[in-house]
Amino acid sequence: MGVQVSVVTPGAVEADVLAVPVVEPGEPPANGVLDVRLHGRLAALVAAGEVSGELGETCVVHVENGAGAARVAAAGLGPKTAVDPDAVRTAAGAVARAASRFGGSVAWLLDPALDLPPAEQARAVVEGVLLGAYEPGRWKTNRRRPRPIERIVLVGDGPGVSEAAARAERVAEWTNRARDLANAPGNELTPERLAARAAEIADGSEHLSAEAIGPEGIDELGMGAFAAVAAGSHNPPRLIVLRYTPPGVKAGVKLGLVGKAITFDSGGISIKPSLYMEDMKGDMAGGGAVVEATGALAELGVPLEVVSVVAACENLTGGGAYRPGDILTSMSGKTIEVVNTDAEGRLVLADALWYARREGATHLLDLATLTGAMERALGDLYAGVFANDDAWRDQVVSAGEASGDHAWPLPLHRRYRRYIDSAFADMKNQSVRDQAIPAYAGEFLQEFVGDGPWAHIDMAGTGFLTWPRPDYLAQKGGTGYGVRLIVELATRLSS
């Protein structure tokens, strides 16, 4: 059951905590009703220097008969000229974490003086509260559990506020479900269990169907690259296919979503270092985002035909594991020399991309925690976007910026292809040169996308946080990156 979201006037607030946004240097919004009901308490805190408006700062105080709430939280937005949706999300996330000590309901005062339309503020507040209050430690048994936020009250009005808030609540809930998948340990979230989650989502939607293709079917399809990566594990792979066919779709457009879902990645024979290997349970974050975003599209009723293809398997060592030097035949018929078994993501995506195009996708988008070099280049804030079509790349980047799943355009060029030239096969899966790694990985994938627009999101830094981030995604682990971007992109593509 989702969190209840409502919009009220300042005189009708009833909540456990009322959040009042404050910009630096400690300027709360002017609101006659609240100023009187708070008895100057907030102004006194500002005057005393206890509230500065610094981004992410939260000061919670108890009040008597104060604006319909037992507590008031001064929520820092940072400098007024720098306030954007991320600043609002960060402030709302800080309030949500403070409120998790007592739970219940959070009210937020929309500020018409900010250079953000009220609907944009509402969307950012709801996302910030729900994503900021997320708790990854659901396997802990000896810790006081945070109390859930059950209701969000937006105080104010404006065009589209209610609609934006309600939609943001649904998308944020699906984003948190993608985080649950990324945070689940490999002994729980096997490829079969991920396929079961997709089936569960499909069972709840009239226009969504799910199929899970096992090892025999993968072999029958000629997916030699995908099958090789999966061969070292006792847990069998699954090619998960979700088909969303709502009524009234836009004619001639079918979005193909492709996700990498390595439910645990040891690196195979080219084994990874042991430090932080436990985070490799999150190597399925792209596939998890595709699964949950498809569910979000169905629940929202976005009028766009979608086929989602997720290649789910483990990359482990074992007697059946594929080896450096092996030559694989992909579903497309192209052959691949294996140079490094830890460059497995591009192998499973090669077959999944070809399958999605065969299923009639006119526009392709793949999401993958693909290269560590991308994290070194853009950190944990931006994902890199590569594409064979500039207009489609720009649409993806724009959807990312609008949604909060930030993305940055990066180049592909045919001269990068030389990095994957092989003496023995059509191509190899890695270059020994430590140059342009995300770009030549993109060039590798481009070999399998067929005709039509395609974009590749390398979300290695943004999909799973090794260290907490100082914003509304303040927890280690899965971020749900990609769910909001996909919903925004599909909505725009359907119009």
Side-chain angles (χ1 to χ4, degrees):
M1 182 176 178
V3 173
Q4 180 185 352
V5 178
S6 58
V7 182
V8 303
T9 61
V13 178
E14 290 186 9
D16 293 299
V17 59
L18 168 64
V20 179
V22 180
V23 297
E24 288 185 296
E27 296 179 10
N31 186 291
V33 175
L34 290 179
D35 287 345
V36 172
R37 297 181 71 179
L38 289 174
H39 307 293
R41 188 72 177 273
L42 194 59
L45 290 171
V46 172
E50 295 182 42
V51 172
S52 69
E54 181 181 345
L55 180 62
E57 174 194 71
T58 300
C59 178
V60 180
V61 296
H62 286 260
V63 293
E64 295 180 4
N65 302 319
R71 306 168 187 86
V72 171
L77 293 178
K80 187 173 183 178
T81 55
V83 172
D84 60 9
D86 269 351
V88 177
R89 292 183 189 106
T90 296
V95 170
R97 288 189 294 278
S100 67
R101 294 194 296 270
F102 45 83
S105 55
V106 172
W108 183 282
L109 180 64
L110 301 177
D111 185 359
L114 293 178
D115 193 21
L116 279 178
E120 280 290 316
Q121 292 183 48
R123 174 180 176 176
V125 167
V126 172
E127 290 178 349
V129 169
L130 294 180
L131 300 180
Y134 177 82
E135 170 54 49
R138 60 188 176 93
W139 293 269
K140 294 184 178 184
T141 61
N142 59 350
R143 177 184 168 190
R144 177 186 171 190
R145 303 291 296 172
R147 297 182 180 179
I149 305 297
E150 298 173 345
R151 188 163 60 97
I152 301 172
V153 180
L154 298 170
V155 185
D157 201 1
V161 165
S162 295
E163 295 81 359
R167 185 181 180 89
E169 185 271 331
R170 298 315 310 139
V171 176
E173 291 285 0
W174 287 100
T175 301
N176 279 339
R177 290 167 192 162
R179 297 170 85 177
D180 287 342
L181 292 177
N183 289 331
N187 60 323
E188 286 189 15
L189 191 75
T190 62
E192 291 174 289
R193 180 63 192 92
L194 184 59
R197 171 58 185 158
E200 178 186 356
I201 294 171
D203 287 344
S205 175
E206 179 183 1
H207 304 296
L208 188 60
S209 64
E211 178 184 10
I213 302 172
E216 290 185 5
I218 291 167
D219 289 340
E220 289 173 3
L221 287 167
M223 292 184 164
F226 180 23
V229 175
S233 173
H234 294 298
N235 286 314
R238 290 291 184 269
L239 184 74
I240 302 165
V241 185
L242 287 162
R243 295 180 176 88
Y244 174 52
T245 54
V249 298
K250 184 176 181 179
V253 178
K254 185 174 184 177
L255 177 61
L257 300 172
V258 176
K260 170 191 172 184
I262 306 298
T263 56
F264 187 80
D265 180 18
S266 72
I269 289 175
S270 306
I271 196 164
K272 293 177 179 291
S274 60
L275 185 64
Y276 299 123
M277 192 193 283
E278 67 273 17
D279 288 350
M280 289 300 100
K281 66 181 182 178
D283 206 22
M284 43 60 61
V290 166
V291 168
E292 299 296 340
T294 307
L297 295 176
E299 183 180 28
L300 294 170
V302 176
L304 182 72
E305 189 174 5
V306 179
V307 57
S308 297
V309 183
V310 174
C313 69
E314 295 178 326
N315 183 25
L316 299 179
T317 58
Y322 76 130
R323 299 155 289 247
D326 285 359
I327 294 179
L328 314 176
T329 302
S330 68
M331 186 182 179
S332 71
K334 294 180 180 180
T335 56
I336 305 162
E337 178 193 3
V338 177
V339 174
N340 188 331
T341 63
D342 194 27
E344 86 297 330
R346 65 206 67 178
L347 296 177
V348 303
L349 288 174
D351 284 338
L353 284 163
W354 192 263
Y355 183 91
R357 189 71 86 183
R358 195 195 73 167
E359 289 293 298
T362 59
H363 296 69
L364 278 178
L365 175 67
D366 76 72
L367 293 92
T369 49
L370 203 67
T371 67
M374 181 55 66
E375 182 175 8
R376 290 192 290 275
L378 297 180
D380 60 11
L381 184 60
Y382 276 83
V385 182
F386 301 86
N388 65 354
D389 180 278
D390 289 350
W392 180 232
R393 180 200 61 206
D394 292 346
Q395 284 183 265
V396 173
V397 169
S398 178
E401 291 303 288
S403 67
D405 281 341
H406 297 296
W408 194 260
L410 291 168
L412 287 181
H413 194 283
R414 63 184 179 274
R415 291 177 66 182
Y416 285 129
R417 177 61 171 78
R418 74 187 193 278
Y419 287 103
I420 57 170
D421 287 345
S422 167
F424 305 104
D426 294 327
M427 69 199 80
K428 58 188 178 185
N429 74 330
Q430 192 190 43
S431 169
V432 295
R433 295 188 188 184
D434 195 21
Q435 296 177 331
I437 295 170
Y440 78 65
E443 284 292 331
F444 180 95
L445 295 179
Q446 188 171 200
E447 295 280 333
F448 304 94
V449 302
D451 297 327
W454 154 77
H456 158 58
I457 295 180
D458 190 335
M459 48 183 276
T462 57
F464 192 96
L465 302 182
T466 301
W467 302 279
R469 213 167 78 182
D471 59 12
Y472 61 102
L473 296 172
Q475 301 283 7
K476 173 182 168 65
T479 64
Y481 182 95
V483 174
R484 291 179 293 165
L485 185 154
I486 288 170
V487 171
E488 184 73 25
L489 179 67
T491 302
R492 295 180 178 195
L493 192 59
S494 69
S495 62

